[in-house]
Amino acid sequence: MGPDDIGISYLRKGRGKRSVVLDLGRPEGADAFRRVVANVDVLVDNFRPGVMDSLGVGYETLSALNPRLIHASITGYGPDGPDADLASMDLIIQGRSGLMAKSGFPDGPPIKAGATVGDQFPAALCALGVVAALRQRDMDGKGQYIDVAMLDSLVTMLWDEPLDLYRERGMPDRIGNGDPRGILDTFEAQDGWVTLVITSDAQFERLTEEMGRPDLFELGPNIPVRASNRAEICEGVAAWMARQTTDELVARLHKIRVPAGAVASAYASAEDPQIQHRQALVPLRHPHASEPTTRLGPAFPIKFSRSNTTQSPAETLGSSTQDVLKTIAGLTEEEIDRLRSAGVLG
């Protein structure tokens, strides 16, 4: 490993950021950090509860220096409660929240989501909270502390019905890719898999007409009846789909305005015409290379009509330490040199 080597994951996740490395465990490092935070709008941390306070850079301290500061913390279980000090990771939170209990097939074990939703969804909610807090600050001039827990975040996305109904009626069985309330599932074709979602009686009628199976429509002319006869209806749909290719099925279903799509491999997205058109995947760049790498990473997914969201390459660790301390914290060259000599800077 050389000083310019950057891992692929960091090359992707470090885009659009400046890298400052300080030893917060040293009083001089914590002081330099406080001087930076005194002049910024938003601080986000991902430490366990109490760590920032133990380092002398907790919200009460920082807000006294910068009353307009928005300080957001993402933790596993929140800063209080009986489990506040427990370690948390994506898989742990997926299981604890109940997400895994809903995922998988009836004859198999609970299954985690393939994506790290326990990490990514709380981060998205945190960003939304920061935007709301900034808007509030526009109105009253005051900053605030934002508390986002991974467990809370996943609980919010799980249930359509009140949880007490499950206590009264029993937890519904896992149903794989389906939904007990209707015709929503993944079906095998000759060369792959196709997803199908029926959201209305009219869609189901068009599907059964295309299949040449009016008897299936009679089995489920409306949502409650379709739910009751779901197994028999899905068996008929599965037999029809199994005789065709994914391309044939998707074309036929789109033609009759029924939501459907092929199940693509993870790497196939790089060749997907819609993803290419949207430039949703872009070549990753090394900060010291003149040409992009051959590796792809997701582009910033939000598009604005008058704002540029092109992300600068990830920096090698500590690349911006000196500049940030000088331009934002207001440290002099002599002060920065002393911190570097003391081993406080990365």
Side-chain angles (χ1 to χ4, degrees):
M1 292 288 289
D4 290 338
D5 287 339
I6 300 178
I8 291 293
S9 178
Y10 180 74
L11 203 63
R12 168 193 165 187
K13 296 177 181 177
R15 290 175 297 172
K17 304 179 179 72
R18 305 183 74 184
S19 178
V20 176
V21 179
L22 294 171
D23 184 352
L24 298 184
R26 302 274 294 276
E28 308 97 314
D31 181 63
F33 180 76
R34 285 190 289 267
R35 292 176 67 174
V36 172
V37 174
N39 297 286
V40 302
D41 293 301
V42 179
L43 169 67
V44 180
D45 83 81
N46 189 213
F47 289 115
R48 285 197 195 186
V51 170
M52 294 287 281
D53 287 319
S54 70
L55 293 170
V57 290
Y59 175 66
E60 296 301 325
T61 298
L62 298 178
S63 64
L65 298 173
N66 181 359
R68 292 174 56 82
L69 177 69
I70 309 297
H71 181 176
S73 292
I74 304 176
T75 59
Y77 302 96
D80 47 31
D83 295 335
D85 292 332
L86 293 180
S88 59
M89 301 293 286
D90 169 66
L91 179 62
I92 308 301
I93 296 298
Q94 287 200 37
R96 178 78 182 269
S97 66
L99 176 63
M100 289 176 64
K102 292 191 68 175
S103 304
F105 288 86
D107 56 351
I111 298 294
K112 74 177 183 68
T116 54
V117 293
D119 292 328
Q120 297 183 46
F121 187 58
L125 291 181
C126 181
L128 181 61
V130 166
V131 171
L134 288 169
R135 183 68 184 98
Q136 177 72 34
R137 193 183 71 175
D138 289 341
M139 296 185 285
D140 61 21
K142 299 177 181 178
Q144 59 182 305
Y145 180 75
I146 300 173
D147 160 23
V148 178
M150 296 165 66
L151 181 61
D152 298 351
S153 300
L154 259 61
V155 167
T156 67
M157 67 187 296
L158 288 180
W159 311 105
D160 293 328
E161 301 84 3
L163 291 181
D164 55 349
L165 284 179
Y166 291 128
R167 183 178 294 112
E168 294 172 8
R169 303 176 186 179
M171 182 72 183
D173 291 335
R174 292 191 299 276
I175 196 169
N177 296 317
D179 189 296
R181 293 165 295 188
I183 312 307
L184 178 160
D185 216 322
T186 304
F187 298 91
E188 190 170 10
Q190 287 182 344
D191 60 344
W193 295 81
V194 172
T195 54
L196 173 71
V197 178
I198 298 296
T199 59
S200 70
D201 299 340
Q203 287 176 352
F204 186 56
E205 186 170 18
R206 292 196 298 272
L207 172 65
T208 54
E209 287 176 355
E210 183 73 14
M211 293 172 60
R213 292 290 305 273
D215 58 305
L216 288 184
F217 183 74
E218 294 174 5
L219 271 177
N222 56 58
I223 291 176
V225 178
R226 276 199 297 281
S228 299
N229 296 317
R230 181 183 185 283
E232 187 174 350
I233 293 172
C234 285
E235 184 178 343
V237 173
W240 179 71
M241 288 195 169
R243 298 191 294 269
Q244 302 168 76
T245 67
T246 55
D247 286 345
E248 291 170 341
L249 283 168
V250 170
R252 292 182 71 171
L253 294 169
H254 284 179
K255 186 176 181 180
I256 61 171
R257 303 186 312 283
V258 169
V263 177
S265 63
Y267 54 81
S269 59
E271 284 80 42
D272 186 302
Q274 181 66 20
I275 291 175
Q276 290 180 335
H277 174 79
R278 297 282 294 172
Q279 297 181 315
L281 290 171
V282 294
L284 297 174
R285 303 186 68 100
H286 189 286
H288 301 158
S290 58
E291 297 295 330
T293 71
T294 58
R295 307 301 182 186
L296 297 176
F300 191 74
I302 304 171
K303 301 182 186 299
F304 297 89
S305 64
R306 59 184 184 89
S307 298
N308 180 17
T309 57
T310 301
Q311 296 168 298
S312 58
E315 295 185 349
T316 51
L317 288 178
S319 294
S320 292
T321 301
Q322 179 166 331
D323 186 56
V324 167
L325 291 179
K326 184 176 181 179
T327 60
I328 297 179
L331 272 69
T332 65
E333 293 283 358
E334 292 76 15
E335 289 176 308
I336 294 172
D337 287 341
R338 283 199 297 271
L339 291 175
R340 183 178 293 107
S341 297
V344 173
L345 308 186

